[in-house]
Amino acid sequence: MTNRKVITGATLIDGAGGPPTENATVLVNEDRIEGVGLAGSIQIPADAEVIDGSGMTLLPGLIDCHDHLASMSYEIASRWGITEMRSQRHLRVASVLRQTLETGYTTVRDAGGLDAGFRMAVEEGLVPGPRLLCGLGFITPTGGMADRLSPLGFAAPGGPDTGLPWGVADGPEGFRAKVREMVRAGADVIKCATTGGASSTAGLGPKDLLFERDELEALVDEAHKRGCLVMCHALGGPGLRMAIEVGVDSIEHGSYLDEAPDLLPIMVEKDISLAPTFGVYTFHATRGTPHGRARAAALREHHVRSVQVAMEAGVRVVAGTDEGGWEHGNNAHEISCLVEAGLTPMQAIQAATGRAAEAIGLAAEVGTISVGKQADMILVAGDPLQDVTILERGKAVDFVMKGGVVYLDRRAQA
Ligand SMILES: [Zn+2]
């Protein structure tokens, strides 16, 4: 007994950047894509369930390279998880997972706050959700962004959650041990920060350096030995330079990259991706703390310019929202932001599909509609190359398939 599905009639955007194919046929066998081609070129098995995508656009399932699915607020008590019962928080996160999947996001890399149990629950089929890669927690030295104390110097009541190791370490050996601790707790990716940011405390700005070089070298070496990529929050100044020179795998934010153009060829050479995460800065600029608003406004022009020079230099630019904490479920906002910053709609779609999969180490499995990959696909009413904002929440994403399973089908109402 086979479980075959076939999507017919849609215009295919494959995620690899090629020209769209009108009237495409995509054959799915169980969880994988078995055939892709023009109508008529693929034989449709008699027992296949036909999904008519006529008049719609078929794209790979979308990927967010940087979100925080368990973050509900920037308030410290909420971050500590003490504002509601644990069960209530977990069910709230489960609802975010479902909502995110139903808006077309079939893969999300979580940059901290989500414990590995959520990934396992999704894999087990307990809750619907995107494929997850979990970073568990930020890693920084004492006084850095992982060192989340109350203004009076109190740590989270009840101590660190064992599912989310406390991210503070010092000295090279300390960072090696911290990476091991994250991996033991189920981390798929290692998240660190070599600079402050827009939302960090008043004394910890976007160009303030957090790490010693030997500390970062130890962290990157240990992560790579354990098969984990390193995603590094770095906005500008010496911390951004150090991250690129030492060889992290992606720069998160990179807002002041335009001030150090000599770093661009190094990023290309070392295959370091850039996830600008414009989404979160639109919130920091409008709803943030007074210093957060000022920082977000000050960096905006540099941020846009940084992405433009990175694209020109051939750096892989990918979509990550970092919006969790402000709001959930509109991850495609980032695709619109990338177009606003100067990417073509096709480049912005690649940034959230094929290029994103490369950046997070899943290029063999997801990101493009090609034979052998996971059947992660969405159908959109309309043409996102004409208006990319139709990918945003509540607009035109009417059908979502992940691993061959249909999680949303609103085609009838469309
Ligand atoms: Zn983040």
mmCIF file of all heavy atoms in Angstrom, residues 66-68 74 79 110-112 138 191 231 233 252-253 277 280 321-324, ligand 1:
data_model
loop_
_atom_site.group_PDB
_atom_site.id
_atom_site.type_symbol
_atom_site.label_atom_id
_atom_site.label_comp_id
_atom_site.label_asym_id
_atom_site.label_seq_id
_atom_site.Cartn_x
_atom_site.Cartn_y
_atom_site.Cartn_z
ATOM 1 N N HIS A 66 15.912 32.075 12.290
ATOM 2 C CA HIS A 66 16.152 32.663 13.607
ATOM 3 C C HIS A 66 14.820 33.109 14.212
ATOM 4 O O HIS A 66 14.268 34.132 13.858
ATOM 5 C CB HIS A 66 17.094 33.873 13.467
ATOM 6 C CG HIS A 66 17.496 34.494 14.768
ATOM 7 N ND1 HIS A 66 18.750 35.031 14.969
ATOM 8 C CD2 HIS A 66 16.829 34.682 15.940
ATOM 9 C CE1 HIS A 66 18.834 35.520 16.194
ATOM 10 N NE2 HIS A 66 17.673 35.318 16.803
ATOM 11 N N ASP A 67 14.308 32.301 15.124
ATOM 12 C CA ASP A 67 13.117 32.738 15.863
ATOM 13 C C ASP A 67 13.272 32.287 17.306
ATOM 14 O O ASP A 67 14.254 31.599 17.657
ATOM 15 C CB ASP A 67 11.847 32.164 15.221
ATOM 16 C CG ASP A 67 10.591 32.954 15.616
ATOM 17 O OD1 ASP A 67 10.707 33.929 16.390
ATOM 18 O OD2 ASP A 67 9.491 32.585 15.172
ATOM 19 N N HIS A 68 12.331 32.704 18.136
ATOM 20 C CA HIS A 68 12.290 32.270 19.544
ATOM 21 C C HIS A 68 10.845 31.895 19.821
ATOM 22 O O HIS A 68 10.046 32.723 20.253
ATOM 23 C CB HIS A 68 12.751 33.398 20.478
ATOM 24 C CG HIS A 68 14.145 33.848 20.228
ATOM 25 N ND1 HIS A 68 15.231 33.255 20.822
ATOM 26 C CD2 HIS A 68 14.639 34.827 19.431
ATOM 27 C CE1 HIS A 68 16.336 33.860 20.413
ATOM 28 N NE2 HIS A 68 16.014 34.815 19.569
ATOM 29 N N TYR A 74 9.492 40.507 26.331
ATOM 30 C CA TYR A 74 10.845 40.865 26.738
ATOM 31 C C TYR A 74 10.944 41.104 28.242
ATOM 32 O O TYR A 74 12.003 41.341 28.778
ATOM 33 C CB TYR A 74 11.338 42.103 25.967
ATOM 34 C CG TYR A 74 11.870 41.740 24.593
ATOM 35 C CD1 TYR A 74 11.013 41.503 23.536
ATOM 36 C CD2 TYR A 74 13.234 41.599 24.373
ATOM 37 C CE1 TYR A 74 11.491 41.138 22.291
ATOM 38 C CE2 TYR A 74 13.730 41.231 23.140
ATOM 39 C CZ TYR A 74 12.853 41.005 22.089
ATOM 40 O OH TYR A 74 13.337 40.639 20.870
ATOM 41 N N ARG A 79 10.375 35.979 30.615
ATOM 42 C CA ARG A 79 11.528 35.221 30.117
ATOM 43 C C ARG A 79 11.906 34.089 31.079
ATOM 44 O O ARG A 79 12.330 33.023 30.670
ATOM 45 C CB ARG A 79 12.729 36.161 29.942
ATOM 46 C CG ARG A 79 12.621 37.058 28.716
ATOM 47 C CD ARG A 79 12.793 36.237 27.456
ATOM 48 N NE ARG A 79 12.525 36.979 26.238
ATOM 49 C CZ ARG A 79 13.473 37.511 25.462
ATOM 50 N NH1 ARG A 79 14.729 37.423 25.786
ATOM 51 N NH2 ARG A 79 13.141 38.137 24.360
ATOM 52 N N ASP A 110 15.325 27.603 16.094
ATOM 53 C CA ASP A 110 15.047 28.392 17.294
ATOM 54 C C ASP A 110 16.360 28.802 17.952
ATOM 55 O O ASP A 110 17.193 27.966 18.287
ATOM 56 C CB ASP A 110 14.194 27.598 18.274
ATOM 57 C CG ASP A 110 13.635 28.498 19.361
ATOM 58 O OD1 ASP A 110 14.336 28.714 20.376
ATOM 59 O OD2 ASP A 110 12.515 29.019 19.174
ATOM 60 N N ALA A 111 16.503 30.102 18.139
ATOM 61 C CA ALA A 111 17.770 30.649 18.620
ATOM 62 C C ALA A 111 17.839 30.761 20.141
ATOM 63 O O ALA A 111 18.724 31.433 20.674
ATOM 64 C CB ALA A 111 18.012 32.016 17.978
ATOM 65 N N GLY A 112 16.934 30.084 20.824
ATOM 66 C CA GLY A 112 17.021 30.064 22.282
ATOM 67 C C GLY A 112 15.672 30.208 22.948
ATOM 68 O O GLY A 112 14.817 30.968 22.496
ATOM 69 N N PHE A 138 21.306 31.156 24.620
ATOM 70 C CA PHE A 138 22.398 32.052 24.300
ATOM 71 C C PHE A 138 23.640 31.663 25.103
ATOM 72 O O PHE A 138 23.518 31.373 26.283
ATOM 73 C CB PHE A 138 21.989 33.399 24.890
ATOM 74 C CG PHE A 138 21.824 34.503 23.922
ATOM 75 C CD1 PHE A 138 20.659 35.255 23.898
ATOM 76 C CD2 PHE A 138 22.863 34.835 23.077
ATOM 77 C CE1 PHE A 138 20.523 36.320 23.038
ATOM 78 C CE2 PHE A 138 22.716 35.905 22.213
ATOM 79 C CZ PHE A 138 21.555 36.638 22.193
ATOM 80 N N LYS A 191 24.284 28.780 19.875
ATOM 81 C CA LYS A 191 23.989 30.209 19.708
ATOM 82 C C LYS A 191 24.851 31.003 20.685
ATOM 83 O O LYS A 191 24.852 30.719 21.878
ATOM 84 C CB LYS A 191 22.496 30.455 20.008
ATOM 85 C CG LYS A 191 22.097 31.914 20.198
ATOM 86 C CD LYS A 191 21.902 32.638 18.887
ATOM 87 C CE LYS A 191 21.616 34.130 19.079
ATOM 88 N NZ LYS A 191 20.310 34.421 19.667
ATOM 89 N N MET A 231 25.631 29.843 15.388
ATOM 90 C CA MET A 231 24.963 31.076 14.972
ATOM 91 C C MET A 231 25.331 32.159 15.976
ATOM 92 O O MET A 231 25.163 31.987 17.178
ATOM 93 C CB MET A 231 23.448 30.895 14.841
ATOM 94 C CG MET A 231 22.716 30.387 16.047
ATOM 95 S SD MET A 231 20.956 29.944 15.746
ATOM 96 C CE MET A 231 20.243 31.466 15.134
ATOM 97 N N HIS A 233 25.129 36.033 17.282
ATOM 98 C CA HIS A 233 24.565 37.382 17.331
ATOM 99 C C HIS A 233 25.733 38.371 17.346
ATOM 100 O O HIS A 233 26.567 38.336 18.257
ATOM 101 C CB HIS A 233 23.708 37.479 18.606
ATOM 102 C CG HIS A 233 23.401 38.853 19.083
ATOM 103 N ND1 HIS A 233 22.117 39.350 19.155
ATOM 104 C CD2 HIS A 233 24.203 39.841 19.538
ATOM 105 C CE1 HIS A 233 22.148 40.587 19.624
ATOM 106 N NE2 HIS A 233 23.394 40.910 19.873
ATOM 107 N N GLU A 252 24.170 36.695 12.884
ATOM 108 C CA GLU A 252 22.791 37.092 13.127
ATOM 109 C C GLU A 252 22.770 38.595 13.358
ATOM 110 O O GLU A 252 23.503 39.111 14.190
ATOM 111 C CB GLU A 252 22.248 36.344 14.350
ATOM 112 C CG GLU A 252 22.453 34.820 14.296
ATOM 113 C CD GLU A 252 21.699 34.140 13.160
ATOM 114 O OE1 GLU A 252 20.500 34.433 12.998
ATOM 115 O OE2 GLU A 252 22.317 33.320 12.454
ATOM 116 N N HIS A 253 21.985 39.285 12.571
ATOM 117 C CA HIS A 253 21.796 40.755 12.603
ATOM 118 C C HIS A 253 22.842 41.454 11.714
ATOM 119 O O HIS A 253 22.482 41.992 10.685
ATOM 120 C CB HIS A 253 21.779 41.327 14.021
ATOM 121 C CG HIS A 253 21.046 40.467 15.015
ATOM 122 N ND1 HIS A 253 19.756 40.043 14.803
ATOM 123 C CD2 HIS A 253 21.427 39.888 16.192
ATOM 124 C CE1 HIS A 253 19.370 39.262 15.817
ATOM 125 N NE2 HIS A 253 20.363 39.147 16.670
ATOM 126 N N THR A 277 17.631 39.637 10.104
ATOM 127 C CA THR A 277 16.498 39.728 11.045
ATOM 128 C C THR A 277 15.940 41.146 11.149
ATOM 129 O O THR A 277 15.879 41.722 12.226
ATOM 130 C CB THR A 277 16.849 39.216 12.478
ATOM 131 O OG1 THR A 277 17.717 40.144 13.129
ATOM 132 C CG2 THR A 277 17.509 37.848 12.452
ATOM 133 N N VAL A 280 12.606 41.875 13.750
ATOM 134 C CA VAL A 280 12.653 42.236 15.176
ATOM 135 C C VAL A 280 12.982 43.713 15.367
ATOM 136 O O VAL A 280 12.504 44.351 16.302
ATOM 137 C CB VAL A 280 13.664 41.347 15.931
ATOM 138 C CG1 VAL A 280 15.108 41.707 15.617
ATOM 139 C CG2 VAL A 280 13.421 41.408 17.431
ATOM 140 N N THR A 321 13.441 35.949 11.462
ATOM 141 C CA THR A 321 12.651 37.067 11.996
ATOM 142 C C THR A 321 13.139 37.573 13.341
ATOM 143 O O THR A 321 13.141 38.767 13.587
ATOM 144 C CB THR A 321 11.190 36.644 12.222
ATOM 145 O OG1 THR A 321 11.207 35.463 13.044
ATOM 146 C CG2 THR A 321 10.502 36.373 10.916
ATOM 147 N N ASP A 322 13.497 36.635 14.236
ATOM 148 C CA ASP A 322 13.808 36.999 15.619
ATOM 149 C C ASP A 322 12.626 37.720 16.273
ATOM 150 O O ASP A 322 12.809 38.469 17.206
ATOM 151 C CB ASP A 322 15.075 37.877 15.643
ATOM 152 C CG ASP A 322 15.744 37.891 17.008
ATOM 153 O OD1 ASP A 322 15.416 37.033 17.854
ATOM 154 O OD2 ASP A 322 16.588 38.779 17.237
ATOM 155 N N GLU A 323 11.424 37.483 15.754
ATOM 156 C CA GLU A 323 10.274 38.271 16.224
ATOM 157 C C GLU A 323 9.600 37.707 17.469
ATOM 158 O O GLU A 323 8.838 38.412 18.130
ATOM 159 C CB GLU A 323 9.218 38.415 15.113
ATOM 160 C CG GLU A 323 9.572 39.483 14.106
ATOM 161 C CD GLU A 323 8.544 39.648 12.983
ATOM 162 O OE1 GLU A 323 7.485 38.984 13.022
ATOM 163 O OE2 GLU A 323 8.821 40.437 12.062
ATOM 164 N N GLY A 324 9.868 36.423 17.791
ATOM 165 C CA GLY A 324 9.275 35.851 18.995
ATOM 166 C C GLY A 324 9.646 36.748 20.165
ATOM 167 O O GLY A 324 10.727 37.293 20.208
HETATM 168 ZN ZN ZN B 1 17.297 36.177 18.601
#
